[in-house]
């Protein structure tokens, strides 16, 4: 008999106040004894709650195993499913044929005719329809540079800094934040890729509207920074405002915010500080600024801008930096007064450096003028298929040349529609309908869209085509998403689509219609059938076959040398045949896992049903645990948890139903001999509670010799009306299921009793939970009662102590009188 000392729920903790000071009575011990009835009820209720919680755990240990078994093996969606008969079938297909033909064929699936069918030939593969645009090779990388004396706009503001400060006191120190004028800022518009669209700020405006837009962009960039100075001072509402007289003003700044005179942006904003130290107020800045246009943008000549500047050229993948104009060349060019002569000298100097970089004559520097005029600077290649592009360089140098980054003698995928080799201006009325392919409007195409972005939008649309650019030929291509004959590519509704993807045969444009695959299938005894399929992957009597090459002969030729599609010359040595076998290893491992999980569940049920409880082991109180070691507590509770479901009606019924599964299988049409043949038998020990015995060796033999019989026993079929997997699932579902709809809107008897995390709505909606809730309410009531009892006894003892104290005082006084 197990035993453990019992301690009151009050322990050695002293009750409120002090007792026995006058009387010498152990007040707390007496009150504990007087309230023992109530504290015992509280402790017993707590024990009952603990037992109920343990009972919940016991139910859930079983219900979780039931649901896991169903999830793992009883659903088609599971990777371990045993409900699909094709899993047991001969679905490992082997290809047999010549080395030439077998490399072109793959096959999966299963077929009753797998040993009878063959592929005699693949006469033609299925192809997609293709629309090729006009060829754009041999073009020129054109610039806008034709006069070195022309001025170019350079921003003095971009990249400079404006430092804001707030004084910290009389020590002359400031807390500061810095705003750097950025190249771009992030807008609130989604870019379709999980981010936001970035807007590049135009720091070199030309029109009044563009100057106003610059001020608005600077405001948005500043406010996006959410700059704060110290506690409570921020610049979230600060604005740059462009005034009618061409000045910039800073408004919306709250608090005593000042601007450091060392800010590199002041001069570019039009304010000239008398020195570089100290601070000015926002008001002083607004009063002192001058002409913003003149201050923000300088206008060097293109000769001045390009002197000493380098750009990176890329010729057929070889990237090299080329200096446009050396300082010595600049002095010489300044002495030349004729602008055409200047351009020809620049051409000559650049040609020498490009010859050194890429070999003489490979990259040709030219001028496109006529009638003796120099015209615009341009770059071409001696090889029409070669490419030359400008890939990097100073922003304003690139701007002075009048090109974009990535500009090429071919198509620049990072460039826009108006680049030199396309010259598509979307402001032209003829492009008003936008980009339409196969009747589908491609949304989001604007004059600011890059070619790469346009191709991506096409590929993500429902136009049924994929778009690409072939650099080698300088052609855009549209390829239908589906192969086969009759796939059209319609550009007729859109001038923009025709400009990008159309053209004439004379300039290389071409439409090639897709074709069907032509396959010759043999069915034995010399019977051959020719089939046309729109895809190179097709169903062949249950097999999914993919072909990737032509074999089995060739088409003859006509007298004029063209292919004669009516004359196929067969080569029987290329014939493909198929064999199939079941995945014995994969199936065996999965079935073995099923029986291990099933028997683990059965043992859990059997243990709960057959283990008797030991009434001498009850839940421990906190005071009892305080007297024990962790190991002792663990061992005690292990014994106390045993037998909690002994005699439980739901568990008894579940155990009985489990023990009837084997009989249900035989009633469903599976003979005992067939079950034994595939390695499934019933445990000889009647105390096992219905475990099933799995003989792996016999199962492997059955899978090798008769996988169909194995499939029938597990999934139903043939003489078996209901397979083992379904019988197990139907037997267990009334007790626990993840889906109440499968069980008359019930999650099962065990879950209704104890709930389950696998059915979250049941966690606070089950019988045991409601019992525990009721007991917790009872404990609260008892604790309130205990509090009242203790307070009453404490008050009575306090009164008694007071009276005794008075009597003691009187006695002492009388003693003094008599003495």
């Amino acid at each position: 008999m197990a035993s453990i000392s019992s301690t009151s729920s009050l322990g050695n903790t002293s009750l409120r106040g002090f007792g026995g000071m006058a009387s010498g009575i152990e007040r707390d011990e007496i009150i504990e004894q007087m309230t023992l009835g109530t504290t015992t009820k509280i402790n017993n209720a707590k024990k009952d709650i603990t037992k109920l919680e343990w009972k919940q755990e016991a139910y859930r240990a079983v219900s979780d195993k039931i649901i896991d078994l169903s999830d793992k093996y009883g659903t088609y969606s599971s990777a371990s499913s045993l409900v699909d008969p094709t899993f047991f079938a001969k679905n490992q297909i082997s290809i047999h044929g010549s080395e030439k033909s077998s490399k072109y064929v793959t096959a999966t699936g299963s077929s009753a005719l797998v040993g009878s069918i063959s592929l005699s030939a693949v006469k033609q593969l299925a192809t997609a329809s293709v629309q090729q645009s006009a060829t754009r090779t041999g073009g020129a990388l054109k610039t806008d540079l034709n006069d070195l004396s022309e001025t170019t706009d350079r921003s003095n503001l971009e990249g400079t800094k404006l430092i804001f400060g707030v004084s910290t006191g009389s020590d002359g120190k400031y807390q500061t934040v810095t705003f750097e004028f950025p190249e771009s800022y992030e807008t609130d518009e989604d870019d379709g890729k999980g981010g936001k669209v970035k807007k590049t700020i135009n720091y070199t405006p030309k029109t009044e509207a563009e100057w106003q837009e610059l001020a608005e962009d600077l405001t948005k960039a500043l406010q996006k920074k959410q700059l704060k100075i110290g506690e409570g001072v921020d610049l979230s509402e600060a604005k740059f405002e462009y005034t009618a007289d061409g000045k910039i003003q800073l408004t919306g700044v709250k608090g005593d915010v000042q601007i450091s005179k060392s800010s590199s942006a002041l001069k570019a904003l039009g304010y000239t500080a008398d020195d570089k130290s100290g601070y000015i107020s926002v008001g002083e800045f607004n009063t002192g600024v001058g002409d913003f246009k003149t201050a923000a943008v300088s206008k060097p000549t293109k000769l001045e801008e390009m002197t000493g500047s380098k750009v990176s050229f890329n010729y057929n993948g070889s990237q090299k930096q080329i200096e446009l104009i050396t300082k010595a060349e600049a002095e010489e060019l300044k002495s030349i007064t004729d602008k055409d002569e200047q351009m020809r000298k620049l051409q000559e100097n650049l040609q020498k450096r490009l010859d050194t970089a890429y070999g003489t004559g490979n990259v040709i520097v030219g001028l496109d003028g006529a009638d003796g005029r120099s015209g615009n600077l341009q770059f071409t290649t001696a090889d029409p298929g070669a490419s030359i592009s400008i890939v990097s360089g100073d922003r304003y140098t690139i701007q002075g040349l009048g090109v974009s980054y990535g500009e090429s003698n071919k198509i620049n995928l990072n460039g826009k529609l108006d680049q030199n080799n396309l010259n598509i201006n979307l402001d032209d009325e003829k492009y008003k309908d936008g980009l339409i392919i196969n009747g589908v409007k491609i949304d989001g195409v604007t004059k600011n869209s890059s070619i790469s972005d346009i191709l991506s939008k096409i590929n993500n649309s429902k136009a049924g085509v994929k778009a690409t650019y072939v650099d080698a030929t300088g052609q855009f291509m549209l390829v239908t998403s589906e192969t086969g004959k009759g796939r059209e590519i319609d550009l007729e509704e859109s001038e923009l689509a025709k400009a990008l993807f159309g053209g004439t045969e004379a300039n290389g444009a071409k439409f090639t219609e897709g074709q069907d695959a032509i396959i010759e299938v043999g069915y034995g005894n010399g019977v051959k059938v020719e089939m046309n399929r729109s895809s190179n992957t097709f169903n062949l009597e249950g097999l999914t076959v993919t072909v990737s090459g032509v074999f089995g002969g060739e088409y003859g030729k006509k007298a004029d040398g063209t292919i004669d599609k009516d004359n196929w010359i067969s080569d029987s040595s290329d014939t493909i045949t198929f064999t199939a076998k079941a995945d014995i290893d994969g199936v065996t491992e999965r079935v073995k896992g099923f029986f291990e999980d099933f028997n683990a569940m059965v043992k859990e049920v059997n243990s709960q049903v057959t283990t008797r409880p030991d009434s001498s082991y009850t839940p421990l109180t906190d005071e009892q645990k305080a007297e024990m070691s962790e190991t002792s507590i663990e061992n005690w509770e292990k014994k106390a948890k045993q037998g909690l479901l002994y005699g439980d009606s739901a568990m008894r019924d579940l155990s009985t139903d489990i023990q009837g599964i084997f009989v249900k299988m035989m009633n469903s049409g599976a003979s005992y001999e067939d079950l034994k043949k595939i390695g499934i038998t019933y445990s000889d020990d009647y105390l096992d509670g219905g475990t099933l015995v799995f003989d792996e060796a016999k199962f492997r033999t059955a899978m090798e010799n008769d996988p169909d019989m194995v499939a029938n026993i597990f999934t139903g079929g043939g003489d078996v009306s209901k397979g083992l997997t379904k019988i197990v699932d139907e037997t267990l579902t009334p007790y626990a299921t993840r889906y109440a709809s499968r069980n008359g809107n019930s999650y099962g008897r065990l879950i209704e009793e104890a709930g389950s995390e696998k059915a979250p709505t049941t966690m606070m909606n089950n019988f045991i939970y409601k019992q525990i809730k009721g007991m917790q309410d009872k404990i609260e009531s008892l604790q309130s009662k205990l509090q009242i009892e203790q307070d009453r006894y404490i008050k009575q003892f306090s009164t008694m102590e007071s009276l005794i104290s008075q009597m003691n005082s009187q006695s002492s006084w009388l003693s003094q009188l008599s003495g």
Side-chain angles (χ1 to χ4, degrees):
M1 172 72 74
S3 65
I4 190 166
S5 63
S6 177
T7 307
S8 80
S9 63
L10 297 174
N12 297 319
T13 305
S14 187
L15 291 169
R16 291 171 298 286
F18 298 93
M21 297 291 289
S23 65
I25 296 172
E26 292 294 333
R27 184 198 71 172
D28 290 359
E29 290 183 9
I30 292 174
I31 292 177
E32 285 178 358
Q33 291 300 318
M34 294 174 74
T35 58
L36 184 60
T38 303
T39 55
T40 300
K41 290 178 181 178
I42 292 173
N43 284 335
N44 288 339
K46 287 181 177 180
K47 288 183 179 182
D48 289 341
I49 287 177
T50 301
K51 286 183 70 174
L52 284 171
E53 289 172 343
W54 288 348
K55 201 171 182 181
Q56 267 188 327
E57 291 176 10
Y59 276 120
R60 289 175 184 177
V62 176
S63 64
D64 285 354
K65 283 183 170 61
I66 290 174
I67 291 176
D68 288 343
L69 195 70
S70 176
D71 287 348
K72 195 172 181 180
Y73 303 104
T75 63
Y76 278 94
S77 58
S78 169
S80 303
S81 173
L82 286 176
V83 297
D84 186 356
T86 61
F87 174 64
F88 300 89
K90 293 181 177 181
N91 52 21
Q92 290 192 320
I93 307 300
S94 296
I95 308 294
H96 306 280
S98 68
E99 184 178 348
K100 172 185 172 184
S101 58
S102 59
K103 65 182 179 181
Y104 292 132
V105 182
T106 61
T108 59
S110 61
S111 171
L113 296 177
V114 69
S116 303
I117 53 176
S118 62
L119 280 184
S120 307
V122 174
K123 300 179 179 180
Q124 176 176 285
L125 289 175
T127 60
S129 296
V130 179
Q131 173 66 50
Q132 297 169 263
S133 75
T135 301
R136 296 177 175 95
T137 56
L141 166 53
K142 296 182 179 181
T143 75
D144 289 341
L145 180 62
N146 56 29
D147 186 349
L148 290 173
S149 64
E150 283 184 353
T151 58
T152 182
D153 292 345
R154 171 179 278 272
S155 172
N156 297 324
L157 183 59
E158 182 180 2
T160 62
K161 298 177 181 179
L162 197 58
I163 303 170
F164 297 94
V166 173
S167 175
T168 59
S170 58
D171 57 1
K173 294 183 179 180
Y174 282 79
Q175 282 185 299
T176 64
V177 292
T178 301
F179 173 65
E180 182 173 344
F181 288 83
E183 177 185 350
S184 62
Y185 66 91
E186 196 175 74
T187 69
D188 295 327
E189 182 183 351
D190 292 331
D191 63 2
K193 302 174 184 176
K196 301 294 184 181
V197 173
K198 285 188 176 181
K199 182 178 181 183
T200 300
I201 300 174
N202 176 17
Y203 281 97
T204 56
K206 298 289 192 298
T207 66
E208 285 298 304
E210 288 177 348
W211 282 103
Q212 181 66 46
E213 184 180 7
L214 171 59
E216 292 170 359
D217 286 342
L218 294 179
T219 294
K220 291 173 183 175
L222 174 58
Q223 292 180 351
K224 285 282 183 183
K225 291 291 184 182
Q226 294 289 306
L227 298 178
K228 294 184 179 181
I229 312 172
E231 292 294 328
V233 180
D234 67 64
L235 299 168
S236 61
E237 296 182 20
K239 295 181 180 180
F240 291 100
E241 292 190 3
Y242 179 70
T243 64
D245 57 353
K247 295 181 179 180
I248 198 77
Q249 300 284 282
L250 194 57
T251 64
V253 178
K254 296 182 179 179
D256 189 20
V257 178
Q258 300 187 44
I259 300 172
S260 172
K261 288 196 284 186
S262 64
S263 301
S264 57
L266 282 177
K267 185 176 180 181
L269 291 168
Y271 186 94
T272 305
D274 52 1
D275 57 52
K276 293 294 183 182
S277 62
Y279 283 80
I280 58 173
S281 69
V282 173
E284 288 175 305
F285 167 80
N286 288 335
T287 303
V289 291
D291 184 2
F292 180 45
K293 295 180 185 178
T294 303
V297 180
S298 57
K299 295 182 177 294
T301 66
K302 292 191 176 182
L303 176 58
E304 292 169 337
E305 185 66 66
M306 294 180 188
T307 299
S309 295
K310 296 179 179 180
V311 296
S312 291
F313 284 86
N314 189 311
Y315 172 68
N316 280 353
S318 174
Q319 186 170 316
K320 297 190 178 180
Q321 273 199 335
I322 305 296
E323 191 169 6
L324 294 178
I325 302 173
T326 66
K327 290 183 180 179
E329 290 170 352
E331 292 303 315
E332 181 183 5
L333 289 168
K334 286 178 185 177
S335 67
I336 300 173
T337 57
D338 183 77
K339 76 167 189 175
D340 291 319
E341 187 59 33
Q342 266 190 334
M343 289 299 298
R344 281 190 278 270
K345 187 62 180 176
L346 172 63
Q347 173 194 12
E348 179 186 329
N349 294 337
L350 274 174
Q351 185 67 66
K352 290 176 183 177
R353 281 194 282 281
L354 285 166
D355 283 346
T356 300
Y358 294 120
T360 302
N362 285 322
V363 178
I364 303 164
V365 186
L367 298 166
D368 67 356
D371 301 326
R373 310 296 294 178
S374 61
N376 290 7
L377 185 71
Q378 65 178 23
F379 304 89
T380 57
T381 58
D383 178 2
S387 65
I388 181 72
S389 60
I390 294 176
V391 293
S392 67
D394 177 79
R395 175 178 171 183
Y396 294 103
T397 302
I398 297 294
Q399 183 177 302
L401 286 171
V403 296
S404 303
Y405 290 111
E407 197 79 55
S408 170
N409 63 325
K410 295 184 179 179
I411 300 298
N412 172 19
L413 295 181
N414 292 318
K416 300 173 185 177
L417 289 166
D418 60 356
Q419 61 184 274
N420 290 327
N421 290 309
L422 288 174
N423 291 316
I424 296 174
N425 180 7
L426 285 191
D427 291 331
D428 193 319
E429 181 68 15
K430 68 180 180 180
Y431 299 124
K432 65 179 180 180
D433 293 328
L435 183 59
I436 303 172
I437 300 171
N438 287 337
V440 176
K441 176 76 175 287
I442 311 301
D443 293 326
V445 176
T446 70
K447 62 182 180 182
N448 293 319
S449 299
S450 69
I451 301 303
S452 178
D453 185 42
I454 292 171
L455 297 181
S456 177
K457 288 181 185 300
I458 294 171
N459 293 338
N460 291 324
S461 75
K462 296 181 179 180
V465 294
K466 297 298 178 184
T468 188
Y469 173 72
V470 182
D471 185 73
T473 63
Q475 288 176 295
F476 288 106
M477 288 193 180
L478 293 175
V479 181
T480 56
S481 302
E482 302 288 342
T483 57
K485 189 176 180 180
R487 305 289 181 184
E488 296 295 330
I489 300 177
D490 181 9
L491 309 177
E492 289 306 311
E493 294 183 57
S494 168
E495 289 299 322
L496 178 55
K498 287 189 281 186
L500 277 175
F501 300 104
T504 64
E505 288 190 16
N507 58 26
K510 183 182 179 182
F511 174 75
T512 304
E513 185 181 4
Q515 61 185 21
D516 289 341
I518 302 176
I519 306 105
E520 189 175 80
V521 179
Y523 284 89
N525 296 323
V527 176
K528 293 183 180 180
V529 177
E530 185 175 279
M531 300 178 178
N532 286 42
R533 295 291 183 267
S534 62
S535 172
N536 293 315
T537 297
F538 50 90
N539 183 282
L540 181 61
E541 306 300 342
L543 296 181
T544 299
V545 178
T546 300
V547 295
S548 57
V550 173
F551 62 85
E554 61 182 4
Y555 285 110
K557 292 185 178 180
K558 297 178 182 179
D560 59 3
T562 60
I563 293 175
D564 184 359
K565 287 282 188 172
D566 295 323
N567 181 22
W568 176 259
I569 304 169
S570 297
D571 182 356
S572 60
S573 65
D574 286 344
T575 298
I576 292 292
T577 58
F578 305 93
T579 58
K581 66 175 183 178
D583 179 11
I584 297 173
D585 290 339
V587 173
T588 301
E589 283 305 306
R590 191 178 297 184
V591 170
K592 181 180 177 182
F594 167 75
F595 282 109
E596 288 173 351
D597 291 344
F598 174 80
N599 287 336
M601 181 272 299
V602 173
K603 288 175 182 177
E604 181 71 33
V605 173
N606 196 43
S607 173
Q608 297 288 357
V609 170
T610 60
T611 303
R612 293 177 179 272
D614 188 338
S615 59
S616 59
Y617 286 89
T618 60
L620 300 168
T621 65
D622 291 338
E623 289 75 17
Q624 290 169 334
K625 287 181 181 179
E627 297 177 2
M628 302 170 65
S629 68
E630 289 293 328
T631 303
S632 296
I633 293 171
E634 184 178 340
N635 291 335
W636 180 280
E637 292 191 341
K638 185 177 180 180
K639 288 289 293 181
K641 288 180 180 181
Q642 290 179 351
L644 288 173
L645 299 181
Y646 178 77
D648 180 84
S649 61
M651 295 299 295
R652 281 201 316 269
D653 292 345
L654 172 59
S655 179
T656 300
D657 286 343
I658 288 173
Q659 293 176 57
I661 285 176
F662 200 78
V663 174
K664 288 180 182 178
M665 271 302 300
M666 290 186 287
N667 290 338
S668 184
S671 71
Y672 179 80
E673 288 303 316
D674 285 345
L675 288 167
K676 187 176 179 181
K677 190 181 295 183
I678 72 169
I680 302 174
T681 54
Y682 196 72
S683 172
D684 291 336
D685 187 348
Y686 74 95
L687 296 177
D688 279 351
T691 57
L692 298 176
V693 179
F694 177 65
D695 188 322
E696 183 176 337
K698 287 184 177 180
F699 184 82
R700 284 181 173 275
T701 301
M703 278 298 298
E704 187 171 349
N705 297 329
D706 196 351
D708 289 341
M709 179 179 68
V710 177
N712 291 343
I713 288 175
F714 274 89
T715 67
D719 294 332
V720 181
S721 60
K722 195 177 292 183
L724 174 61
T725 310
K726 189 170 184 179
I727 287 174
V728 168
D729 195 52
E730 288 183 351
T731 300
L732 301 179
T733 293
Y735 297 93
T737 178
R738 191 186 292 275
Y739 308 104
S741 58
R742 294 173 51 187
N743 192 41
N745 291 323
S746 168
Y747 289 100
R749 292 172 65 183
L750 303 187
I751 294 179
E752 286 182 351
E753 187 72 24
S756 171
E757 290 183 354
K758 296 180 184 296
T761 59
T762 68
M763 292 295 288
M764 297 176 67
N765 185 23
N766 59 78
F767 182 68
I768 291 180
Y769 175 83
K770 292 173 182 176
Q771 282 184 296
I772 291 173
K773 193 76 173 69
M775 288 185 178
Q776 288 172 337
D777 294 341
K778 179 181 178 182
I779 288 173
E780 288 181 10
S781 176
L782 288 170
Q783 285 174 334
S784 296
K785 179 181 178 183
L786 176 63
Q787 179 80 45
I788 293 169
E789 289 176 352
Q790 288 176 340
D791 288 346
R792 183 174 72 249
Y793 291 135
I794 288 171
K795 185 176 180 180
Q796 290 173 353
F797 271 98
S798 295
T799 301
M800 182 186 73
E801 289 289 332
S802 178
L803 291 172
I804 292 173
S805 179
Q806 290 176 15
M807 290 171 64
N808 287 339
S809 295
Q810 290 174 356
S811 175
S812 176
W813 179 71
L814 290 172
S815 296
Q816 289 175 359
L817 288 177
S818 62

